[in-house]
Amino acid sequence: MPSALPPYASTGQRTWYYTFRVICALIFFFLIFPILVIIPLSFNAQNFFTFTPEMLTLDPAGYSLKHYQDFFTNSDWQAAMRNSISIAPAATLLATTFGTVAAIGLSQSHMPFRSVVMAMLISPMIVPLIISAAGMYFFYSRIGLQGTYIGVVMAHAALGTPFVIITVTATLVGFDQSLVRAAANLGANPVTTFFRVQMPLILPGVISGALFAFITSFDEVVVVLFLGSASQKTLPWQMFTGLREQISPTILAVATLLVAISILLLTTLELLRRRSERLRGVTPG
Amino acid sequence: MSDTDQTMAVLTTQDGVPLKVSIRRALRAQKIRALLLVAPLFLFILLSFVAPIADMLFRSVENDIVPNTLPQTVVAIELWDENSGELPGEDVYAALAADLQVATKSKTHTRVGSRLNYEKPGTSSLFRKTGRRVNKFEDGNYKEQFLKADKKWGDVEYWQVIKRFSSPLTGGYFLAASDAERTADGVQLKAEDERIYLLLFGRTLMLSITITASCILLGYPIAWLLASLPLRSSNLLMILVLLPFWTSLLVRTSAWKVLLQQQGVINDTLVWLGIVGDESRLALINNQTGTIIAMTHILLPFMILPLFSVMKTISPTYMRAAKSMGATDWYAFWRVYFPQTIPGIGAGSILVFILSIGYYITPELVGGTSGIFISNRIAYHISSSLNWGLAAALGVMLLVLVMTLYWLYDRIVGIDNVKLG
């Protein structure tokens, strides 16, 4: 697909060029419309899931913040919010710490059995969630972790580590090992070398891995559905039961807030990407 | 003389250690350090993830509840010929009475009953009913007393089931998961109208293929456009792909639930445009259509991103060369550009297929009864029917399927080429 029409293009080429653009626009519309449409709907003054006539005429009476108010005052939603906020950071911390350290070990040239170990550490990402959830439910109820905060955090950390390993090993490919040797040469011990030399350079990879781990835990619903008890009910779980049983428009308010969070995450990641490109000397367009 | 020669030949470090030994020692230290760095995560994943999966594999063949609860019966029934068509002897009835008398004290007889009920309906009530009377049995003539407690004890089939499931390991769950049963003539498929799991596996595969195909259809033009636009505008348009990718799965599913409803936005718009009548609103949700639309939307970024990264590496000069040599636009695309994008299509397809085959949340919420996947059945057996062995067997079968696909993915694309963001 040429990016611009040459001046000598025939009528057929012109038609195809514009048809193709229209097709692409429609697909982009398909991608983005479902996400955008819930934002105005979440301000609906009625308990409907469709645009009321008042909304279509942009009558202020058709809009209200009552679904947001419900979210911030309803004890179920608030408890779910608290659980999500207490589970996701703990799982992220666990996944990022273990994952970063392991990624450094994995990228050393003398690591024995690398491919086997790598395959095992990546496996939580490949195994379908329902199977992980089933296995964890059976096993964790044997060892008494089913329905506990620690059990859910462990499970989410396990699901998040592959992302940390992948992003950090990718960053380490561009890391100059002679810097570590230089630091050691100048008398730094391994711990100082790690925190003062290696860590600042691979930080973008670690942060984006941590963001992936965070969103994995924050969005996760299948595993927590089986593994958690009522006191670990997270935001996605509450949304899931809400959608299955009594669909209330509060879900749309929550969804809008979650979209805002993902925009925030996306921006952070984009900035990190630009930074690492700049460091490598590649200028973004 | 020869001694000095040898010491000269072996290079040593300053403190007299041969160089080879010294290097080996240093290498070993590095190896150990690398291993020690990986060890914490290795152990963590082993405990939190690999052990559960192994436990599930074990549970899919585990059957120790029968031999543990009915130890004497299992030994006694060993000698009975199940194909003779005759009831077992008095010794077996006596052994069962002894076992049940013990089992009723700890109330484990109902658990054996419900375990065997998966294989032969009616066993659960049989064990419960007999359990209430067995402690009043008098010594001797057990067969008569059992038959008096419940007529079913005179039915050979119940005894056959007990004998068949008397070993601590069983393939019974796998048979049930593939809609087969063991009859007197060996393993056979169940009657056609009872084959639910093969039907579900088939439907899961069919729907996943449809979803993958729609992702190729919708993803290809987008990836092509993004790869051919100048970097600045393609970066901007990329946001439209990445935003759905980063949005919570539940948000996207709820959006589709809202859009596709009978009284939802899409049907309202169609009615307003006069395309469909108010009374003939389209049924877009709680069926296969709903699952396909919502999952195509959810998995589309996983198709676009690998396609984009492959197309990005194809130089535009090939197309120009083909056209300068007289190829039409279509011919140049089909014979020159398209073949080079096949690795991207392969990578994206396998990725989307693997992801969709194990999906649970979206089919559960928008699939109704006709649009659900095998995962939903696994979840049902874990949380509703409590037949964990069958859930485990179905899970193992799905796992084998995914692992085979993943192995293919590794062969075609290579796991190291997985890129994120």
Side-chain angles (χ1 to χ4, degrees):
Chain A
M1 192 69 221
S3 54
L5 264 183
Y8 50 80
S10 67
T11 326
Q13 280 171 330
R14 259 167 223 283
T15 324
W16 168 240
Y17 178 84
Y18 290 112
T19 321
F20 184 76
R21 296 279 155 130
V22 171
I23 294 173
C24 285
L26 287 175
I27 300 171
F28 276 124
F29 180 74
F30 170 73
L31 268 170
I32 210 77
F33 176 69
I35 295 169
L36 294 185
V37 80
I38 54 174
I39 297 173
L41 280 178
S42 71
F43 295 102
N44 198 336
Q46 307 286 325
N47 286 344
F48 293 144
F49 286 99
T50 189
F51 291 99
T52 54
E54 293 85 33
M55 293 183 88
L56 290 174
T57 52
L58 294 178
D59 181 357
Y63 294 87
S64 89
L65 287 171
K66 68 179 215 184
H67 304 311
Y68 290 87
Q69 194 187 355
D70 183 40
F71 171 67
F72 285 107
T73 51
N74 186 318
S75 59
D76 278 354
W77 284 106
Q78 285 305 302
M81 175 98 165
R82 268 197 303 279
N83 280 329
S84 272
I85 290 176
S86 69
I87 289 170
T92 309
L93 190 70
L94 211 59
T96 315
T97 318
F98 281 149
T100 308
V101 172
I104 291 170
L106 280 171
S107 5
Q108 298 200 348
S109 49
H110 302 292
M111 175 68 202
F113 314 112
R114 188 207 312 261
S115 53
V116 180
V117 173
M118 188 80 170
M120 194 193 106
L121 298 184
I122 298 284
S123 61
M125 192 174 82
I126 299 141
V127 174
L129 273 176
I130 185 75
I131 295 176
S132 315
M136 285 170 168
Y137 178 66
F138 297 149
F139 185 71
Y140 285 23
S141 43
R142 268 190 220 264
I143 58 175
L145 281 175
Q146 198 264 330
T148 63
Y149 172 73
I150 297 172
V152 176
V153 168
M154 267 176 72
H156 277 182
L159 294 177
T161 43
F163 298 101
V164 180
I165 290 184
I166 288 176
T167 51
V168 177
T169 38
T171 322
L172 280 168
V173 170
F175 177 76
D176 190 354
Q177 285 291 335
S178 57
L179 291 175
V180 174
R181 269 177 246 133
N185 209 0
L186 294 169
N189 63 27
V191 177
T192 316
T193 314
F194 175 72
F195 281 108
R196 300 290 297 275
V197 178
Q198 198 165 17
M199 194 62 185
L201 283 167
I202 63 169
L203 197 62
V206 175
I207 293 179
S208 63
L211 285 180
F212 272 104
F214 180 82
I215 205 79
T216 306
S217 167
F218 197 72
D219 266 359
E220 208 291 319
V221 54
V222 185
V223 169
V224 77
L225 204 58
F226 287 103
L227 216 51
S229 62
S231 55
Q232 279 93 41
K233 204 169 209 179
T234 59
L235 218 45
W237 182 354
Q238 178 73 24
M239 286 180 84
F240 179 72
T241 37
L243 281 173
R244 196 159 60 167
E245 279 138 30
Q246 24 85 24
I247 171 158
S248 99
T250 310
I251 287 171
L252 296 184
V254 183
T256 308
L257 293 174
L258 289 179
V259 170
I261 292 179
S262 28
I263 291 175
L264 208 68
L265 277 175
L266 184 62
T267 322
T268 320
L269 269 180
E270 179 65 18
L271 291 177
L272 281 174
R273 198 181 60 83
R274 294 222 174 143
R275 179 180 179 271
S276 70
E277 273 183 357
R278 203 171 52 239
L279 286 180
R280 279 189 214 148
V282 187
T283 43
Chain B
M1 189 67 193
S2 65
D3 267 347
T4 23
D5 259 343
Q6 265 190 346
T7 43
M8 287 298 282
V10 178
L11 289 169
T12 59
T13 55
Q14 220 169 16
D15 44 1
V17 186
L19 200 56
K20 270 188 179 165
V21 177
S22 183
I23 288 179
R24 211 179 302 138
R25 204 176 286 158
L27 277 182
R28 198 186 315 136
Q30 275 184 327
K31 243 184 211 176
I32 290 173
R33 201 164 61 214
L35 277 177
L36 281 180
L37 286 172
V38 178
L41 181 64
F42 188 84
L43 291 178
F44 177 71
I45 294 288
L46 204 65
L47 178 72
S48 67
F49 187 79
V50 178
I53 298 288
D55 183 40
M56 188 184 74
L57 293 176
F58 174 63
R59 221 177 252 273
S60 65
V61 291
E62 180 190 36
N63 188 47
D64 53 9
I65 180 158
V66 180
N68 280 357
T69 323
L70 308 173
Q72 300 181 40
T73 318
V74 165
V75 176
I77 208 167
E78 197 69 10
L79 298 169
W80 173 60
D81 178 12
E82 76 227 71
N83 295 326
S84 62
E86 284 170 30
L87 285 173
E90 177 67 21
D91 59 324
V92 180
Y93 280 96
L96 184 63
D99 282 337
L100 280 180
Q101 278 162 5
V102 176
T104 45
K105 286 200 188 82
S106 51
K107 297 218 160 42
T108 47
H109 65 292
T110 52
R111 283 172 51 207
V112 181
S114 35
R115 163 69 190 95
L116 293 174
N117 201 53
Y118 299 143
E119 313 300 336
K120 176 131 185 81
T123 322
S124 181
S125 62
L126 174 63
F127 270 76
R128 238 179 297 127
K129 197 170 165 192
T130 317
R132 281 197 295 269
R133 308 209 181 162
V134 78
N135 287 319
K136 295 184 200 120
F137 279 12
E138 288 155 19
D139 286 350
N141 218 356
Y142 285 108
K143 190 170 183 173
E144 207 170 281
Q145 295 184 71
F146 263 106
L147 284 171
K148 224 163 108 191
D150 195 317
K151 283 203 298 291
K152 286 180 193 159
W153 288 117
D155 187 344
V156 189
E157 279 187 41
Y158 289 96
W159 289 102
Q160 283 172 339
V161 166
I162 294 178
K163 174 152 186 178
R164 218 177 291 144
F165 291 91
S166 57
S167 70
L169 294 178
T170 173
Y173 292 122
F174 279 99
L175 282 183
S178 44
D179 284 337
E181 58 189 349
R182 213 175 313 178
T183 59
D185 321 321
V187 176
Q188 276 182 335
L189 279 180
K190 284 185 186 163
E192 210 145 313
D193 51 334
E194 288 173 24
R195 294 180 196 167
I196 45 171
Y197 299 111
L198 290 185
L199 182 84
L200 260 177
F201 267 111
R203 187 200 289 161
T204 307
L205 288 177
M206 272 315 297
L207 283 178
S208 299
I209 290 171
T210 317
I211 290 161
T212 311
S214 357
C215 280
I216 297 175
L217 212 64
L218 297 181
Y220 199 91
I222 292 292
W224 194 15
L225 182 77
L226 288 176
S228 59
L229 284 176
L231 203 55
R232 196 173 285 276
S233 35
S234 79
N235 267 351
L236 255 167
L237 284 176
M238 200 57 161
I239 293 174
L240 298 184
V241 178
L242 289 178
L243 183 62
F245 182 72
W246 276 96
T247 306
S248 162
L249 171 70
L250 259 304
V251 171
R252 287 182 280 170
T253 309
S254 34
W256 281 111
K257 191 139 184 161
V258 169
L259 284 175
L260 297 175
Q261 280 180 17
Q262 293 258 304
Q263 305 298 326
V265 175
I266 290 182
N267 264 318
D268 275 0
T269 316
L270 290 177
V271 169
W272 180 69
L273 289 172
I275 296 173
V276 295
D278 200 9
E279 63 292 332
S280 58
R281 284 170 177 259
L282 303 176
L284 296 169
I285 205 168
N286 296 334
N287 54 25
Q288 298 193 357
T289 323
T291 307
I292 292 172
I293 296 178
M295 283 187 58
T296 303
H297 177 253
I298 287 163
L299 296 174
L300 193 51
F302 291 96
M303 177 65 82
I304 295 177
L305 295 176
L307 261 178
F308 172 73
S309 64
V310 167
M311 287 176 176
K312 203 72 201 150
T313 62
I314 302 172
S315 162
T317 50
Y318 295 130
M319 283 279 270
R320 264 183 247 144
K323 280 182 205 166
S324 78
M325 287 187 274
T328 59
D329 285 344
W330 167 251
Y331 197 81
F333 165 75
W334 185 243
R335 297 299 298 272
V336 176
Y337 191 80
F338 182 74
Q340 299 183 76
T341 59
I342 286 181
I345 299 182
S349 303
I350 295 186
L351 195 59
V352 169
F353 193 78
I354 291 178
L355 285 170
S356 80
I357 211 168
Y359 244 63
Y360 166 65
I361 294 296
T362 310
E364 180 79 22
L365 290 176
V366 301
T369 47
S370 68
I372 59 162
F373 282 13
I374 193 74
S375 328
N376 304 78
R377 200 70 196 173
I378 297 176
Y380 164 78
H381 281 307
I382 294 172
S383 50
S384 302
S385 83
L386 302 182
N387 190 349
W388 288 7
L390 184 56
L394 287 170
V396 170
M397 284 163 74
L398 183 62
L399 187 64
V400 169
L401 193 66
V402 169
M403 283 298 152
T404 318
L405 287 169
Y406 175 68
W407 175 76
L408 273 178
Y409 183 82
D410 194 28
R411 290 286 300 273
I412 297 170
V413 194
I415 177 62
D416 293 342
N417 292 345
V418 181
K419 284 205 188 75
L420 299 164

